Amino acid sequence: MNNRIRIGIVGYGNLGRGVEAAVTNSPDMELVGVFSRRNPDSVTTLTGVAVYPYDILLSAENDLNEKIENHIPDIDVLIICAGSATDLPTMTPQLASIYNVVDSFDTHANIPEHLNAVEMAAIPAGKTAVISTGWDPGLFSLARLYANAALPNGSDYTFWGRGVSQGHSDAIRRIEGVLDARQYTVPIQAAMDRVRSGETPDLTTREKHLRECYVVTEDGADLARIENEIKTMPNYFADYDTTVTFISAEELASEHAGLPHGGSVLRSGKTGLDKEYANTIEFKLDLESNPCFTGSMLTACARAAYRMNEDGDVGCKTVFDIPPILMLPGCREEIIAHML
């Protein structure tokens, strides 16, 4: 009997491939299919797993004949690898009304609204949905929660990078005359050093991070205009010290092809009856591949979603709602014996 958790992937870009690798390397899981809005014949997966049209997911649960005719596999959890701006607000509630799901919705200000929409879809269907997981939101969220619990009298600081911001890179590529771009978020070392020393400074956005942009342009493009549009772009660059470097496509491909990222969550606080003792907590990530690491975290949460659903715990969940032990393969006794 096959007792492995059957995983489906929705979307097949960098994140989808990261999930594919993570599921393949999980002994208690089986990847049963990729579901894409592209023509399945145009998608080649890393492991050769079958690719299906996305729309089949929406009809298969209620149409057994169509499911059999199209050889659609049984799915325990769908991991949705799509964008937060326009895709996930629609896709996650829609799919959560049929399947257990996991997503990486990362528009922090809109997480409560997204949670409510997914909750309303998942509960009537008896499904479990884990949203907004990855590393921030995700692991960094947990680090902030644990640090606040341990040091209630203190201040939080989150520094991202040095790493490629895919959303900011895309924003640059939308500028007229730009062919390609990479944008790096870089933490300012002096600010980090102050926090690590036990200070609790009030830091502005500009004091915490700077942005480095490497841009490939069309021949004859107005470089001054492009640089100005980047540096003054609201919500992306206007609030930061930003450098713009124009390079060739060859240099971009050779020097900036990877997708590294990472960062640190810090909390400085006081303990003792008179708050006389200084303390600093730091949680740090250094990621060679952002999508592969994010995919690994999504996969761990898919394991938890499956187990919670098996126990009748339905509705929309975040990493705050998951008992950590449910994210690991193996039984409780083994995990406690080896890790506690």
Side-chain angles (χ1 to χ4, degrees):
M1 180 181 293
N2 184 358
N3 294 319
R4 291 188 294 175
I5 303 169
R6 296 163 298 194
I7 302 293
I9 296 174
V10 178
Y12 197 68
N14 290 324
L15 181 55
R17 286 185 285 273
V19 171
E20 181 181 16
V23 172
T24 301
N25 289 319
S26 298
D28 61 335
M29 292 183 166
E30 176 186 5
L31 182 58
V32 297
V34 168
F35 298 84
S36 176
R37 287 175 293 186
R38 289 180 279 165
N39 181 346
D41 293 334
S42 70
V43 180
T44 302
T45 60
L46 297 173
T47 61
V49 69
V51 183
Y52 303 91
Y54 169 76
D55 289 344
I56 284 179
L57 287 172
L58 306 179
S59 59
E61 186 75 6
N62 300 314
D63 190 340
L64 183 60
N65 290 331
E66 181 175 352
K67 186 172 182 178
I68 294 171
E69 181 180 341
N70 288 283
H71 307 288
I72 301 171
D74 291 324
I75 299 165
D76 292 317
V77 186
L78 279 176
I79 301 178
I80 310 171
C81 302
S84 297
T86 58
D87 291 333
L88 292 178
T90 300
M91 294 173 74
T92 304
Q94 191 173 42
L95 292 171
S97 69
I98 308 173
Y99 305 93
N100 300 317
V101 300
V102 176
D103 80 14
S104 59
F105 184 81
D106 65 357
T107 307
H108 290 260
N110 296 338
I111 287 176
E113 178 183 351
H114 185 56
L115 186 150
N116 289 335
V118 176
E119 178 98 333
M120 291 177 65
I123 287 181
K127 300 301 180 182
T128 304
V130 178
I131 65 161
S132 299
T133 191
W135 60 275
D136 198 1
L139 279 180
F140 272 16
S141 309
L142 286 171
R144 287 187 284 265
L145 185 149
Y146 285 126
N148 274 262
L151 292 177
N153 298 300
S155 299
D156 289 316
Y157 302 90
T158 302
F159 295 94
W160 297 278
R162 185 176 190 263
V164 175
S165 171
Q166 295 182 78
H168 286 68
S169 300
D170 288 340
I172 297 172
R173 284 192 284 268
R174 296 191 198 106
I175 295 174
E176 182 183 352
V178 172
L179 296 176
D180 204 352
R182 294 289 186 279
Q183 188 270 311
Y184 293 86
T185 300
V186 183
I188 295 176
Q189 190 63 47
M192 296 180 69
D193 290 343
R194 290 182 66 189
V195 176
R196 285 174 174 152
S197 72
E199 290 186 46
T200 56
D202 291 325
L203 297 172
T204 66
T205 296
R206 194 177 300 274
E207 289 174 319
K208 289 188 290 185
H209 297 91
L210 56 85
R211 299 198 180 276
E212 296 177 357
C213 308
Y214 296 88
V215 183
V216 179
T217 64
E218 298 173 353
D219 290 340
D222 186 340
L223 303 187
R225 173 187 58 80
I226 292 172
E227 180 172 355
N228 182 66
E229 285 193 37
I230 293 171
K231 290 184 174 182
T232 59
M233 190 182 297
N235 303 319
Y236 285 90
F237 301 103
D239 295 330
Y240 300 85
D241 289 334
T242 301
T243 61
V244 178
T245 304
F246 295 101
I247 60 175
S248 67
E250 292 75 19
E251 186 177 354
L252 189 75
S254 64
E255 301 295 329
H256 304 282
L259 293 170
H261 220 313
S264 298
V265 171
L266 299 103
R267 184 169 176 83
S268 292
K270 302 286 188 177
T271 55
L273 186 61
D274 296 315
K275 301 178 184 176
E276 65 268 36
Y277 302 114
N279 310 269
T280 302
I281 297 172
E282 180 170 357
F283 180 81
K284 181 180 179 182
L285 292 177
D286 187 3
L287 313 177
E288 187 171 350
S289 171
N290 180 2
C292 276
F293 183 85
T294 301
S296 188
M297 186 62 184
L298 289 171
T299 300
C301 288
R303 179 180 294 111
Y306 171 77
R307 290 172 169 175
M308 294 171 80
N309 190 260
E310 288 287 286
D311 289 339
D313 191 357
V314 302
C316 188
K317 313 295 180 182
T318 72
V319 290
F320 294 160
D321 305 302
I322 299 174
I325 205 164
L326 295 184
M327 292 191 280
L328 282 168
C331 69
R332 177 174 180 268
E333 293 75 16
E334 292 173 347
I335 294 169
I336 290 173
H338 287 91
M339 295 190 184
L340 189 60

